[in-house]
């Protein structure tokens, strides 16, 4: 069988074995190394997609390989009835990088949408009925994350979605102030740079207004940094470009594990810490030692190779 026949055969088997949610795949990929991937025909590509903002260290990075291998040799999964050192270390590291104050805490999930589900549940626990999200938002595909995602084509086929969500125009400070005024809004969800919308950055002025007005009304500011976090903007988290800006909750995933699935929710300060009570949320896989070790390797490499400064350098040129 020629390479081309082999590729055609795989594509046909894909169509017959997988549900059609993603449409026809562009290629069947065989391997990756650094910034390159190879398809099943042996053709090499420069990977500008990086697994949709996931492969923070490129493909097959030795530090990531070694961390995952070493961890898998000792302890891969333990359930959350038990703790593991990598999980604790990763939580501490994320609190440090996010400059979270005393009384902050981390919840681990397996994806961005799961991190946002947890944040949604934190918001519900305030007891307030309304949740605000922005036009052009994307927060994921599970029902709660979908409820705060604006795109009609994603939402409509799955209604009814969890209620109480309203969309306000991204960047419109007056609309924000009006929506918050009654004092019954649990949370505002925002991406500092709206990713799925076509990489639209919220202005620093609007981000500051989000912080000021939510604080004024006792509303949580929940920043979705699933795509913008983990160094992609030259800061650990995109909101750190705005001096002094600190959300009440931040969600992460994508680049966090460098390709190994992991998501995280950071809750800032003692007031948010206990909104989710023991037993009110959970996960089987979230925070397992393997995923935690992968994320620690990603963070360690970004630090050791001074990648934040590099991102800022190449971002300027
Ligand atoms: C990709 C993305 C999500 C969803 O993450 P999944 O891991 O695909 O569930 C949520 N929010 C933002 C901003 C994203 O870019």
């Amino acid at each position: 069988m020629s390479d081309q026949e082999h590729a055609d055969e795989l594509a046909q088997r894909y169509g017959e074995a997988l549900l059609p949610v993603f449409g026809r795949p562009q290629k069947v990929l065989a391997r990756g190394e650094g910034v390159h991937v190879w398809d099943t025909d042996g053709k090499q590509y420069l990977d500008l997609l990086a697994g949709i903002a996931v492969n923070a260290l490129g493909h097959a990075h030795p530090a990531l390989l070694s961390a995952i291998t070493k961890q898998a040799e000792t302890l891969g999964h333990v359930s959350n009835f038990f703790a593991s050192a990598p999980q604790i270390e990763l939580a501490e590291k994320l609190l440090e990088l996010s400059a979270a104050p005393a009384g902050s805490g981390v919840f681990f999930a397996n994806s961005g949408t799961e991190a946002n589900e947890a944040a949604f549940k934190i918001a519900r626990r305030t007891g307030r009925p309304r949740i605000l999200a922005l036009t052009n938002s994307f927060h994921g595909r599970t029902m709660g994350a979908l409820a705060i995602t604006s795109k009609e084509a994603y939402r409509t086929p799955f209604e009814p979605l969890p209620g109480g969500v309203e969309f306000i125009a991204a960047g419109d400070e007056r609309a924000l102030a009006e929506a918050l005024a009654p004092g019954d809004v649990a949370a505002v969800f925002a991406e500092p740079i709206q990713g799925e919308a076509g990489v639209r950055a919220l202005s620093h002025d609007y981000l500051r207004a989000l912080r000021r007005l939510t604080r004024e009304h006792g509303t949580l500011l929940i920043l979705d940094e699933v795509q913008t976090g983990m160094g992609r903007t030259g800061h650990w988290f995109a909101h750190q470009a705005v001096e002094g800006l600190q959300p009440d909750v931040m969600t992460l995933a994508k680049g966090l594990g460098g390709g190994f699935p992991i998501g995280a929710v950071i809750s800032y300060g003692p007031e948010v810490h206990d909104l989710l009570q023991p037993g009110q949320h959970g996960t089987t896989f979230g925070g397992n030692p393997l995923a935690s070790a992968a994320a620690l390797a990603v963070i360690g490499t970004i630090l050791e190779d001074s990648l934040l400064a590099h991102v800022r350098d190449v971002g300027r040129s």
Side-chain angles (χ1 to χ4, degrees):
M1 202 189 299
S2 74
D3 284 346
Q4 184 56 49
E5 281 166 348
H6 183 225
D8 289 348
E9 190 218 291
L10 282 175
Q12 166 146 4
R13 280 164 54 199
Y14 178 98
E16 284 164 7
L18 286 104
L19 287 178
V21 288
F22 298 108
R24 198 184 148 81
Q26 320 234 347
K27 285 283 169 196
V28 182
L29 295 178
R31 69 185 183 95
E33 197 183 311
V35 296
H36 293 109
V37 288
W38 285 261
D39 66 18
T40 42
D41 300 341
K43 192 167 172 204
Q44 179 181 326
Y45 301 86
L46 176 62
D47 182 5
L48 296 172
L49 189 61
I52 314 187
V54 167
N55 301 106
L57 306 182
H59 296 277
H61 191 286
L64 191 56
L65 287 185
S66 140
I68 292 173
T69 310
K70 234 172 87 194
Q71 189 58 47
E73 279 169 356
T74 53
L75 195 62
H77 174 81
V78 293
S79 95
N80 282 302
F81 291 123
F82 301 93
S84 70
Q87 168 196 56
I88 297 163
E89 211 179 303
L90 177 60
E92 288 170 349
K93 198 78 205 167
L94 288 174
L95 292 175
E96 180 196 324
L97 299 177
S98 58
S104 300
V106 178
F107 173 81
F108 287 117
N110 308 289
S111 65
T113 199
E114 277 182 53
N116 285 323
E117 285 300 317
F120 195 115
K121 286 177 78 173
I122 289 173
R124 281 285 198 252
R125 288 286 302 141
T126 63
R128 293 184 174 194
R130 297 168 62 216
I131 287 178
L132 302 181
L134 305 185
T135 51
N136 298 314
S137 64
F138 181 81
H139 297 292
R141 304 292 203 139
T142 51
M143 295 300 263
L146 201 51
I148 50 174
T149 290
S150 65
K151 197 170 176 172
E152 286 301 334
Y154 293 168
R155 302 166 53 83
T156 311
F158 303 101
E159 286 168 347
L161 296 168
V165 178
E166 297 159 41
F167 292 93
I168 54 171
D172 183 340
E173 193 176 322
R174 177 158 343 145
L176 173 68
E178 273 171 24
L180 288 173
D184 58 355
V185 176
V188 181
F189 279 83
E191 304 151 78
I193 301 169
Q194 297 187 307
E196 165 108 359
V199 191
R200 298 191 199 189
L202 300 180
S203 73
H204 287 191
D205 279 348
Y206 183 71
L207 283 168
R208 278 189 212 99
L210 267 175
R211 180 64 287 182
R212 179 168 42 80
L213 290 167
T214 48
R215 188 163 281 146
E216 228 169 86
H217 293 284
T219 295
L220 300 177
L221 174 59
I222 302 181
L223 292 183
D224 178 343
E225 294 240 20
V226 166
Q227 187 159 165
T228 52
M230 301 317 294
R232 284 182 64 76
T233 66
H235 300 271
W236 279 107
F237 311 110
H239 72 267
Q240 291 175 333
V242 185
E243 181 74 30
L245 182 74
Q246 187 177 84
D248 298 299
V249 176
M250 172 170 66
T251 56
L252 299 173
K254 292 212 163 100
L256 178 57
F260 203 98
I262 180 169
V265 181
I266 320 262
S267 125
Y268 291 73
E271 280 171 35
V272 192
H273 191 273
D274 295 325
L275 283 175
L276 281 179
Q277 289 285 308
Q280 288 185 335
H281 197 50
T283 165
T284 296
F285 292 121
N288 69 72
L290 209 47
S292 302
L296 282 169
V298 170
I299 292 169
T301 305
I302 292 175
L303 284 170
E304 275 160 38
D305 295 356
S306 303
L307 291 181
L308 295 187
H310 181 67
V311 168
R312 289 197 295 271
D313 278 353
V314 295
R316 256 193 302 272
S317 57

